[in-house]
Structures are given as C-alpha cells and as structure tokens.
Amino acid sequence: MAYACMLLIVIGTNLYIIDSTNNYVSKELERTNGYFLKNINISIDSMFSEIDAVINETAKSGGAEKLAAYTVADKNAKFDAAGLVDEFSEMLARHRLFSEIICYFPQSDIVVTPEMFSESETYCKLRQFDEREWVDGITVKSKGYADRTVLSAS
C-alpha cells in the first residue's frame, strides 16, 4: 500500500511537472510567434510604404506624366525619357528595397528603367523576354477603364 501511494505521488508530481512545462512552452511559443508575426508585419508595411513613396515620387516628378502624354516616340519624347532615366536612377539609389524600376508607356511604346529607355521590342530583346507576353503581363485591363500600365518594381 505504501508503495502504491509513493507511486501515485511520483506519477502525480510528474503529471503536474509535464502539464506546467507544456503550459510554459505553449506560452513561450505563442509569445515568440507573436514577436515574429509583428516583425513580419512591420517589414511588409515598410515595403508597401517604400513602394508607395516611389509611386508618389514618380507621379509628382512630372516626367512620367509628360512622357505619358506622347503618342509617338519622337525626339521630344526621347529627351523626356532620358530625363526620367535620371530620375529613376536617383530613386533607385534612395530606395534600396528595389533592384529595378520599370515604367512602360504604351501610347509611345517607350520603356524606361534607371539604366536606359527604349522601345518595348528592344527592351524585350535585351532582357530575352517575349514582347507580347511582357506587354500583356504589365498592362492592366479593367472593366470600364482604359488600359492602364502598372509601375513595376522588382
């Protein structure tokens, strides 16, 4: 009988220790997961803020708006595209999140990056892209809206 009582006490103590340890580990795991999720949330918010800043800078600069008004890639459009290349280079230096900024102007068929501007066919050949797929991929076609081109950042 004494042996059975001692065995019950040892088993009960072990069950209590296991339960306490399990609760402690669960709480620590919850706390750690919360910490990581909070950091991921902050990182993602930071990335979206950076993307928003680049879009706003591009919109405010006027260079993109000027270039969007051209329907033909004439010498004036190319001059403005060269100015936008400089703006994008500066933006890329300020915004370390991006490895590339690409802006496509479908009306004049000009692609502008921080390194260069060119017609979409030339750009796609240099990058070894299928031109039609590339243009379709970056052109957003929404019901009720004219074709809109997205500012692409990778």
Side-chain angles (χ1 to χ4, degrees):
M1 185 70 152
Y3 181 72
C5 283
M6 283 296 279
L7 190 59
L8 285 175
I9 290 172
V10 170
I11 290 173
T13 304
N14 283 339
L15 287 175
Y16 174 75
I17 291 171
I18 289 170
D19 186 52
S20 297
T21 304
N22 186 34
N23 287 339
Y24 176 76
V25 169
S26 293
K27 286 178 185 176
E28 279 300 306
L29 191 58
E30 240 178 79
R31 188 182 65 80
T32 304
N33 284 344
Y35 172 77
F36 283 120
L37 287 174
K38 186 176 180 181
N39 281 341
I40 290 170
N41 188 25
I42 290 169
S43 294
I44 290 172
D45 284 347
S46 173
M47 287 178 195
F48 278 118
S49 294
E50 191 96 10
I51 291 167
D52 194 43
V54 168
I55 290 169
N56 286 333
E57 279 184 53
T58 303
K60 287 179 185 175
S61 74
E65 192 173 315
K66 239 171 138 177
L67 197 52
Y70 290 103
T71 56
V72 179
D74 60 11
K75 65 181 179 179
N76 292 328
K78 291 177 181 178
F79 180 79
D80 288 337
L84 197 55
V85 167
D86 292 338
E87 287 180 34
F88 282 176
S89 295
E90 292 170 11
M91 274 188 233
L92 197 60
R94 281 193 305 275
H95 300 281
R96 298 285 181 189
L97 172 67
F98 300 97
S99 61
E100 182 80 39
I101 299 173
I102 305 164
C103 198
Y104 174 61
F105 298 90
Q107 295 84 353
S108 56
D109 191 39
I110 295 176
V111 179
V112 181
T113 72
E115 295 86 29
M116 60 176 259
F117 72 90
S118 66
E119 294 171 338
S120 63
E121 181 181 359
T122 305
Y123 177 79
C124 290
K125 281 181 183 175
L126 287 170
R127 298 294 175 119
Q128 299 177 344
F129 295 147
D130 177 77
E131 183 184 7
R132 190 74 257 148
E133 275 184 32
W134 184 79
V135 170
D136 287 346
I138 64 167
T139 304
V140 179
K141 297 178 182 180
S142 302
K143 186 177 178 182
Y145 294 96
D147 287 354
R148 301 259 187 241
T149 302
V150 297
L151 177 70
S152 173
S154 59

